[in-house]
Amino acid sequence: MAQGFLPMTMDEARRRGWDEVDFVYVSGDAYVDHPSFGAAIITRVLEANGYRVGVIAQPDWTDPQSIAVFGEPRLGFLVSAGNMDSMVNHYTSSKKPRRNDAYSPGGQAGLRPNHAAAVYGNLIRRVYKKTPIILGGIEASLRRLAHYDYWSDKLKRSILLDSGADIVSYGMGERSIVEIADALQSGLSIEDITFIEGTVYKARSLKHVYDAVVLPSFEEMRADKLAYARSFNVQYLNSDPFTGKRLVEEYPHQVYVVQNPPSKPLSRSELDAVYRLPYMRTYHPSYESAGGVPAIAEVKFSLSSNRGCFGECSFCALTFHQGRIVQSRSKESLVEEAKLFFDDPDFKGYIHDVGGPTANFRAPACQKQMKHGACPHKSCLFPKPCSKLEVDHKDYLDVLRTLRSMPEVKKVFVRSGVRFDYALADPDDTFIRELCEHHVSGQLKVAPEHVSDAVLSVMGKPGNAVYECFRDRYARVNADLGKKQYLVPYLMSSHPGSTLKEAVELAEYCRDLGYMPEQVQDFYPTPSTMSTCMYYTGVDPRTMKPVYTPKSTHEKALQRALIQYRDPKNYDLVIEALRKAGRMDLVGYGPECLVRPRKGGGSHGSAARTSGGSHGGPVRKGGGSRKGAAVNRVSRSSKTGQKTRGSARKRR
């Protein structure tokens, strides 16, 4: 049985009767014992398997003594940068420092280093020369092989080599971490643990690696970006736990990095067991004086119902981390967790979310996936739903109905992304109807990301006609229900495939909707996504065909300004973008124009305003598009932003 939080000091460990710990978990996040945090899941899973774990959260990376709190652990150190890649945590897509860190006490920034997993690993190795170091978490998982690093603008080695660690547990680590622990407990040397699925290890020889696919060497990839593109495609095709092959990358001085196939997905009962562990469900009380840890607020009364995603958006790392095979918890498990909310004095009757990476995925795309894996050369939803795709919302509806029928629950929201093309593929409108009737409050955020089919094709997203069909159906259902509820589209600028022509197309679409997003997410090249590979190499690794990619800061600003053309601060950028795109026909006073010409060539001030009153832009009668999508008009206070993609749920 758990005795409250896991120890953060040796005194706390002794109060449990321990004179040493088996593992020390070093995390870039503050210690939050909640199942939306990777550290909590891994430490509680180890505890459930009989291991004693101490936690060192956000150690001072300039002080070697900060990781010596428990002395040398009996079996090893576990190292994670936290729930987010530390570089994404620190910097915006324009490489500007973020002011806050939701995973730190009081939201304070700067409590973890850049490239935290590697820094922590080297810090530990300075003090403990031989103690096993196991890396995990999203940062290590997506940097397990050679990868493009946007912040340094270069190809970097496997994090295994740069961190001083012995092994990486990648993907969802519940299986692999217990197998590693059991192997160490049995007396095996860390160098001999080369056989566990979901791990990456170093080797000096390939004499015993007889079944691997050999990727281009690091030196080859560094010399030729196309070699990296080819390597990435092989990695992508081998990211399935049933069909994935062992992969090998060679480095100078006869060093090999070997990636074993991914771990098998958890069964429903196994996933239920993970969420049944005795989490404290909040941050450590030592953070109370700092105001707590902000990241808990959004997930405290939310339910993680699934993991994995067969949507395969090119810009998302889920395929590489959680995989394409969806796993879900039972209704009973979700109800059991919801009942825990009722004892919390902060619970006001609102369940904030029931979902995961994609809310309305509750089962594998087809039964074949659980025996033979996901098709390596075929997508489940792109360019259109596969004929074998099993579309069924009944299980998810049953969960939502049961939760909202509980007397203590006032409303159950669905805030995870709803995959609208999957919803449309269901011939039964019941899910969309009940979503609108019970689980939306004024606005539903969805992620079409763009309107240009050329860009959407590169993104791996459905064509714009699919989004418009969903928009119209959503409007019809709300009209039938007598509700005024709007769609808020997430939009992304500067994605590979987007020239100024496509950016203008997106601006015109926003004009026709009478909608200007106050925030627009620039494409962010994060490690190990298909889109990041395109950004670095200039080709689509699946076809090796060239893909145009906006790279300069100025061009990105032009594309973003076009979407926010009504903002007077963007006037000069909009004019420049329209001139470069050959679309000066959009400068004028007509209803189709985006901006007015500058009066008298002076400063823009009021003359730079767009052509639609105080908000700028022509807002059509009823606020809708020319195609009658009035339901899409939203207030200026509505914000888009980076698509959530379950960042708090991307656990190791």
Side-chain angles (χ1 to χ4, degrees):
M1 291 292 292
Q3 302 174 38
F5 289 91
L6 295 172
M8 294 183 72
T9 67
M10 200 60 218
D11 284 343
E12 292 176 11
R14 291 190 186 99
R15 286 199 288 271
R16 286 174 166 243
W18 302 352
D19 55 3
E20 64 177 350
V21 296
D22 299 318
F23 291 100
V24 172
Y25 193 107
V26 179
S27 174
D29 289 343
Y31 178 29
V32 181
D33 191 29
H34 186 281
S36 287
F37 291 72
I41 284 184
I42 294 302
T43 54
R44 288 299 188 186
V45 164
L46 285 169
E47 179 189 47
N49 281 271
Y51 294 100
R52 297 168 295 182
V53 185
V55 176
I56 300 178
Q58 300 185 316
D60 179 354
W61 65 93
T62 66
D63 179 10
Q65 289 306 304
S66 68
I67 50 84
V69 172
F70 296 95
E72 183 176 16
R74 188 174 67 88
L75 296 177
F77 282 92
L78 310 173
V79 177
S80 170
N83 263 23
M84 293 177 66
D85 185 289
S86 58
M87 301 305 287
V88 178
N89 179 282
H90 283 171
Y91 300 100
T92 68
S93 58
S94 58
K95 301 184 182 179
K96 294 179 180 178
R98 299 188 193 274
R99 297 178 181 176
N100 305 106
D101 179 354
Y103 294 92
S104 292
Q108 181 180 346
L111 297 185
R112 79 187 84 211
N114 288 345
H115 301 291
V119 171
Y120 292 151
N122 283 298
L123 181 67
I124 294 166
R125 189 55 76 216
R126 283 168 56 192
V127 181
Y128 302 102
K129 305 299 183 186
K130 300 294 184 181
T131 311
I133 299 175
I134 301 103
L135 297 189
I138 189 80
E139 180 165 290
S141 182
L142 300 182
R143 297 171 181 267
R144 58 189 185 258
L145 295 175
H147 56 280
Y148 171 67
D149 182 75
Y150 170 63
W151 303 273
S152 61
D153 192 27
K154 66 180 183 181
L155 195 71
K156 296 195 72 169
R157 305 190 304 171
S158 164
I159 196 171
L160 196 56
L161 304 182
D162 286 339
S163 65
D166 297 287
I167 194 168
V168 171
S169 166
Y170 73 87
M172 307 305 281
E174 294 96 343
R175 286 194 194 282
S176 59
I177 202 62
V178 172
E179 291 184 46
I180 292 169
D182 289 349
L184 290 170
Q185 173 75 2
S186 72
L188 276 180
S189 166
I190 190 69
E191 291 83 8
D192 294 328
I193 303 176
T194 62
F195 51 87
I196 295 173
E197 291 182 342
T199 63
V200 179
Y201 65 92
K202 292 174 285 192
R204 284 287 181 180
S205 165
L206 297 181
K207 183 167 59 174
H208 301 295
V209 185
Y210 57 88
D211 59 349
V213 174
V214 179
L215 302 171
S217 71
F218 180 71
E219 293 299 300
E220 287 179 77
M221 291 187 287
R222 191 159 62 171
D224 180 5
K225 291 181 179 181
L226 296 184
Y228 174 67
R230 288 190 290 270
S231 175
F232 185 83
N233 189 50
V234 174
Q235 295 173 46
Y236 193 83
L237 294 175
N238 286 279
S239 57
D240 183 86
F242 293 95
T243 63
K245 303 289 191 294
R246 212 173 317 278
L247 304 177
V248 170
E249 248 177 16
E250 182 181 0
Y251 288 82
H253 312 298
Q254 282 193 306
V255 174
Y256 301 93
V257 172
V258 183
Q259 175 183 299
N260 287 322
S263 290
K264 296 294 189 296
L266 298 183
S267 67
R268 178 165 281 189
S269 61
E270 289 172 324
L271 194 58
D272 286 354
V274 167
Y275 283 86
R276 198 176 296 120
L277 296 173
Y279 305 98
M280 299 301 291
R281 305 190 62 80
T282 188
Y283 50 78
H284 193 274
S286 62
Y287 305 129
E288 199 68 56
S289 61
V293 180
I296 191 66
E298 186 61 28
V299 298
K300 188 175 184 181
F301 300 123
S302 295
L303 298 169
S304 296
S305 68
N306 61 61
R307 62 170 59 163
C309 181
F310 52 79
E312 287 191 277
C313 299
S314 300
F315 48 79
C316 181
L318 275 169
T319 296
F320 257 55
H321 187 59
Q322 292 191 358
R324 289 173 59 188
I325 299 176
V326 172
Q327 303 136 72
S328 62
R329 295 166 61 189
S330 69
K331 180 179 73 172
E332 291 73 22
S333 173
L334 293 164
V335 169
E336 181 182 333
E337 184 177 358
K339 288 179 179 177
L340 299 176
F341 299 167
F342 306 158
D343 296 328
D344 192 311
D346 292 332
F347 182 67
K348 307 303 181 185
Y350 299 97
I351 295 177
H352 296 160
D353 189 24
V354 183
T358 301
N360 53 327
F361 289 174
R362 283 279 295 166
C366 64
Q367 290 305 307
K368 166 187 170 293
Q369 288 188 345
M370 290 307 294
K371 291 184 179 180
H372 306 290
C375 301
H377 294 281
K378 189 175 181 181
S379 294
C380 302
L381 280 167
F382 179 81
K384 60 182 181 180
C386 174
S387 60
K388 300 289 179 63
L389 179 67
E390 298 175 9
V391 183
D392 191 348
H393 289 89
K394 294 184 182 67
D395 184 44
Y396 189 40
L397 283 168
D398 184 33
V399 168
L400 294 174
R401 289 166 180 164
T402 300
L403 290 170
R404 71 177 187 248
S405 70
M406 299 172 80
E408 298 87 350
V409 175
K410 296 177 182 177
K411 193 170 182 74
V412 179
F413 293 100
V414 174
R415 288 178 174 166
S416 298
V418 170
R419 187 75 188 211
F420 56 82
D421 50 346
Y422 183 77
L424 282 177
D426 191 339
D428 186 347
D429 260 358
T430 303
F431 170 68
I432 296 177
R433 178 169 291 276
E434 292 198 18
L435 179 72
C436 295
E437 187 172 4
H438 299 289
H439 305 291
V440 176
S441 184
Q443 297 177 349
L444 176 67
K445 296 179 180 180
V446 290
E449 305 291 1
H450 214 281
V451 299
S452 164
D453 286 348
V455 179
L456 290 168
S457 178
V458 176
M459 289 178 164
K461 299 284 287 185
N464 188 49
V466 180
Y467 171 67
E468 292 189 337
C469 182
F470 178 79
R471 179 197 65 193
D472 293 344
R473 187 173 298 183
Y474 179 82
R476 264 198 323 273
V477 168
N478 276 292
D480 290 346
L481 294 170
K483 289 178 173 283
K484 292 184 178 180
Q485 299 188 133
Y486 307 112
L487 281 183
V488 179
Y490 284 118
L491 301 174
M492 185 184 296
S493 64
S494 304
H495 188 275
S498 177
T499 68
L500 284 175
K501 173 180 176 292
E502 284 77 30
V504 170
E505 186 177 344
L506 184 53
E508 291 185 286
Y509 193 83
C510 291
R511 173 201 65 198
D512 292 345
L513 292 181
Y515 168 61
M516 186 190 79
E518 290 191 0
Q519 293 180 347
V520 175
Q521 175 60 36
D522 277 346
F523 166 64
Y524 201 156
T526 55
S528 296
T529 72
M530 189 70 69
S531 299
T532 298
C533 184
M534 295 179 204
Y535 177 91
Y536 174 58
T537 65
V539 300
D540 185 329
R542 295 163 291 196
T543 63
M544 298 303 291
K545 292 181 179 178
V547 176
Y548 177 80
T549 303
K551 282 198 168 184
S552 74
T553 301
H554 187 63
E555 182 173 0
K556 291 179 180 180
L558 293 177
Q559 293 209 18
R560 185 171 58 252
L562 280 167
I563 304 176
Q564 297 178 306
Y565 66 89
R566 297 183 195 173
D567 188 336
K569 296 190 299 291
N570 290 333
Y571 182 81
D572 289 333
L573 289 170
V574 173
I575 291 291
E576 181 184 349
L578 293 175
R579 183 176 292 115
K580 287 184 173 181
R583 292 301 308 274
M584 292 301 286
D585 58 299
L586 295 176
V587 180
Y589 297 94
E592 303 301 318
C593 295
L594 298 181
V595 293
R596 297 172 179 173
R598 194 189 304 279
K599 290 183 179 178
S603 63
H604 37 273
S606 61
R609 301 191 76 91
T610 53
S611 52
S614 61
H615 288 186
V619 180
R620 302 176 186 280
K621 186 176 181 180
S625 74
R626 287 171 292 176
K627 298 181 180 179
V631 72
N632 283 75
R633 184 162 64 89
V634 296
S635 69
R636 295 188 73 206
S637 62
S638 301
K639 293 183 179 181
T640 64
Q642 184 173 8
K643 182 183 175 185
T644 304
R645 300 183 193 95
S647 61
R649 307 180 190 280
K650 290 180 183 175
R651 297 171 294 274
R652 53 181 294 196

